[in-house]
Amino acid sequence: MFRNQYDTDVTTWSPAGRLFQVEYAMEAVKQGSAAIGLRSKTHVVLGCVNKANSELSSHQKKIFKVDDHIGVAIAGLTADGRVLSRYMRNECINYSFTYDSPLPVGRLVVQLADKAQVCTQRSWKRPYGVGLLVAGLDESGAHLYYNCPSGNYFEYQAFAIGSRSQAAKTYLERRFESFRDTTRDDLVKDALMAIRETLQGETLKSSVCTVAVVGVGEPFHVLDQGTVQQMIDAFEIVAEQEGPAAEPDVDSGQEASAEPEPEQGAAAGEGVAPMDI
Amino acid sequence: MKPFGKHSLLGASGEISDFQEILHYLDELILYDNMWDDGNSLGPKEVHNYLTRVMYNRRNKFNPLWNSLVLGGVKNGNKYLGTVSMIGVNFEDNHVATGFGNHLARPILRQEWHENLSFEDGVKLLEKCMHVLLYRDRSAVNKLQIAKITKEGVTIHQPYSLKTYWEVSAFENPAQGAIGSW
């Protein structure tokens, strides 16, 4: 196919103006297991699906605490994600030491995006194969950002990445308007419901998912399995009474995600160059 | 004294050229902070910590900036007052001073400062401290300048002079009781 001629290294443009290596890196993100994030005015919740390779092994860590006020969920090459988390932790610590103040998440995200961009413009490097959902606080409240391997970043009210994330996105799109003013517990419940959408039929148990919360007055921490299972049980009972939730319908072609306030102008032509999403 | 950013003011004693150098660093710092163009800004606490790092690192290299800095500001309704010395000692308190002010002025302030001082009373208290210092420094001038920081911003008033009284009887004919060739 056409693609194969121009996809050898990241510093080669295709005639259509695309960098295929970067797009392939975004594919790697889509292949990873799902991660979702949602925020209210004061809290951000991150959730991810944890699949262990076999019964014998432990599952991969996909949610990292970066600082008391920032956490990140990753999808894609988890090794790349780990390295980027270490970078983020370093930046936060250095800032805290110099200014005795938490690094505003908006600034960290820009630094991360600039780091990713470098890898799209050096022939001896490759793009990071991981998408990051960065949840954090700064002076203006709670924020959720998505960092792409392309070096783009966007701010979201709610978002999902990874395999079968479209189901979660559809659920979030339906509900995102209520997130701004919702309580912290309802936000966690919504996160669990969104995770359930990506499981597509499998039972939602605390052993297959991880949930983390950060908020005003609440440092970033991962909820323990017991708490998560309790919350699942609480709303599963309610769900049984109300009947099954609406089926996730997959919108063909459209990758429109809930983004009422994109930080960076997302390109209007979504179909042409996927990296601009 | 110089205001910087939206919320703060920096005053220094000591080597003025080093102070000017510090102002240069601060200008750059504030510029980069503004260039982010997001809702976040460096407040007095952050700048105080930054200056502490600068002063301490220079001291470690045996090349100090020969200043004692006083930094005050109001951000989001929170008041902040701190100091950094040339060796990097830093702390915040309700009243701070540099040099001899620590020995002569702070005891007065400890007695007479309280949370609810009005601006006018505050100025009177400071003038009292400055009087005490002025009388005991052979190279001081009786001019002083007041700066005020509130959540509305920083105002630096014009310099003005303090009245002094030197007609004390003990100063008349100082050699009266002296014996010898002095």
Side-chain angles (χ1 to χ4, degrees), chain A residues 157-179:
Chain A
Q157 192 70 25
F159 199 44
I161 55 177
S163 67
R164 292 183 281 193
S165 58
Q166 187 52 54
K169 267 189 243 176
T170 317
Y171 172 82
L172 294 169
E173 262 171 56
R174 244 182 294 127
R175 308 252 315 146
F176 79 91
E177 253 134 14
S178 67
F179 290 164

Side-chain angles (χ1 to χ4, degrees), chain A residues 95-101 104 106-107 110-111 138-140, chain B residues 29 33 36 38-42 45-46 49-50 53 75-76:
Chain A
Y95 189 92
S96 270
F97 178 67
T98 314
Y99 300 104
D100 195 20
S101 216
R107 299 188 183 188
V110 174
Q111 284 173 264
D138 67 20
E139 276 180 46
S140 40
Chain B
L29 182 73
D33 188 42
W36 282 105
D38 57 8
N40 303 296
S41 58
L42 292 172
K45 174 173 84 139
E46 286 81 25
N49 230 70
Y50 169 78
R53 292 287 118 240
K75 186 176 175 189
N76 295 336

Side-chain angles (χ1 to χ4, degrees), chain A residues 144-216:
Chain A
L144 173 70
Y145 293 91
Y146 171 53
N147 275 72
C148 258
S150 61
N152 280 333
Y153 68 94
F154 301 95
E155 182 164 6
Y156 286 100
Q157 192 70 25
F159 199 44
I161 55 177
S163 67
R164 292 183 281 193
S165 58
Q166 187 52 54
K169 267 189 243 176
T170 317
Y171 172 82
L172 294 169
E173 262 171 56
R174 244 182 294 127
R175 308 252 315 146
F176 79 91
E177 253 134 14
S178 67
F179 290 164
R180 252 186 83 78
D181 301 302
T182 193
T183 63
R184 176 241 194 232
D185 287 341
D186 281 342
L187 207 63
V188 177
K189 237 182 280 171
D190 273 315
L192 286 165
M193 306 247 234
I195 297 176
R196 188 174 51 184
E197 299 296 315
T198 66
L199 293 171
Q200 300 219 327
E202 259 183 72
T203 5
L204 175 66
K205 310 193 278 263
S206 61
S207 53
V208 300
C209 66
T210 312
V211 180
V213 187
V214 64
V216 177

Side-chain angles (χ1 to χ4, degrees), chain A residues 46-100:
Chain A
L46 293 173
C48 69
V49 169
N50 288 320
K51 289 296 184 60
N53 274 337
S54 74
E55 292 242 332
L56 299 168
S57 77
S58 65
H59 56 72
Q60 282 211 313
K61 191 165 170 194
K62 282 161 54 83
I63 294 190
F64 298 92
K65 173 170 174 168
V66 167
D67 202 344
D68 283 333
H69 67 296
I70 301 184
V72 63
I74 62 170
L77 265 53
T78 38
D80 285 1
R82 217 173 46 239
V83 161
L84 287 177
S85 302
R86 185 164 54 230
Y87 168 75
M88 291 164 81
R89 284 173 179 164
N90 220 25
E91 292 297 303
C92 282
I93 280 185
N94 286 339
Y95 189 92
S96 270
F97 178 67
T98 314
Y99 300 104
D100 195 20

